[in-house]
Amino acid sequence: MRPPVSLRYKLTYAGRPAGEETLVLEAVRHGLRLTLTAEVTLPLPKTRQRWVSEMDPAGLPRRFVERVEGRETRVFELEFLRDEGVVVGRGREDVVLPYVVDYHDPLSLIYALSRFEGAYAMFHMVGGRAYAERLPDETLEMPWGPVTARVFRLRPGIGLVYYDPEGIPLRFTQRLGGHVFEARLERLERGAPEPKSKERRGRRRRRRRR
């Protein structure tokens, strides 16, 4: 998965429409930024979510922010201060942890797994570990045709992630409350986003769409 790329997903829960989300990977100064924004209607309550991971060129996070708006608004932030040897967490309670290994956040984990070619991997997360196991490839029917996907099982949580040969996440599944929550890629755009201001400087970069 190479920047810039914007991915739009359709969400379902127990086979019913559950909203949509967008995953955007951008090149920024001194690294990468991966942003997920989601409008989730099921399971209740309805929520609006925004996750941002600012990563170094190797894909290790420097800063992670999660904002969830539902019945209440919850904001959680992590700063990975490798040079100072600490991870600082800010939310309802502030915490400081020693930086003794290279940690990942949920978004940087998705990016790291997109480039992983092995059969089994362990990723250090703040507060625990995530384990990824390679499963047999599967063919997914996408809007632009069939795609052979690499499949990984993530634990804990019994989640599955499907990637195309370029490392684009095609599908996510997660068991929640006895049902399956799924995100399936509906649209892919490559290229820098359009400037928001009325003045457009320089040439427009064309986007390739699937």
Side-chain angles (χ1 to χ4, degrees):
M1 184 164 56
R2 292 174 296 183
V5 63
S6 177
L7 310 170
R8 183 179 298 175
Y9 296 84
K10 177 182 178 181
L11 307 179
T12 59
Y13 178 69
R16 299 169 57 191
E20 66 177 28
E21 70 181 20
T22 302
L23 188 65
V24 177
L25 179 65
E26 306 168 275
V28 294
R29 187 178 183 183
H30 304 312
L32 302 164
R33 180 169 59 223
L34 190 56
T35 304
L36 181 146
T37 56
E39 298 277 349
V40 182
T41 58
L42 289 174
L44 295 174
K46 298 178 181 180
T47 61
R48 177 178 297 170
Q49 303 177 16
R50 179 178 172 84
W51 297 2
V52 181
S53 178
E54 298 173 1
M55 301 175 285
D56 67 15
L60 292 173
R62 293 192 177 107
R63 182 172 176 264
F64 172 75
V65 179
E66 176 188 66
R67 181 182 179 90
V68 179
E69 299 175 10
R71 290 181 180 147
E72 61 180 14
T73 297
R74 184 179 74 251
V75 180
F76 179 66
E77 179 181 351
L78 288 170
E79 280 194 280
F80 301 85
L81 305 174
R82 188 186 311 171
D83 292 342
E84 298 177 31
V86 294
V87 179
V88 179
R90 301 183 181 91
R92 291 184 176 176
E93 296 182 3
D94 294 348
V95 296
V96 178
L97 303 172
Y99 194 118
V100 293
V101 294
D102 285 330
Y103 289 103
H104 279 279
D105 62 52
L107 292 185
S108 72
L109 172 61
I110 291 172
Y111 179 73
L113 199 57
S114 74
R115 303 187 297 165
F116 181 68
E117 297 292 341
Y120 186 83
M122 185 271 289
F123 298 91
H124 292 281
M125 312 292 289
V126 174
R129 298 175 181 178
Y131 299 90
E133 177 188 4
R134 177 78 179 268
L135 300 180
D137 292 354
E138 292 187 25
T139 299
L140 298 184
E141 291 296 331
M142 306 304 297
W144 49 89
V147 178
T148 299
R150 294 181 295 132
V151 186
F152 291 93
R153 177 189 288 129
L154 286 174
R155 295 183 183 274
I158 315 178
L160 298 176
V161 188
Y162 300 73
Y163 293 94
D164 78 357
E166 297 179 28
I168 297 294
L170 301 174
R171 183 184 181 217
F172 303 88
T173 66
Q174 179 77 42
R175 186 165 292 278
L176 294 174
H179 298 288
V180 174
F181 186 86
E182 177 181 349
R184 180 179 284 266
L185 184 63
E186 293 287 308
R187 186 175 181 180
L188 180 153
E189 295 184 356
R190 297 186 187 274
E194 291 281 343
K196 292 184 179 180
S197 62
K198 293 183 180 179
E199 275 188 39
R200 286 169 165 69
R201 299 178 180 178
R203 295 179 301 172
R204 291 183 177 178
R205 296 185 181 181
R206 293 184 179 179
R207 294 182 177 181
R208 287 194 300 150
R209 297 183 177 178
R210 287 184 182 175

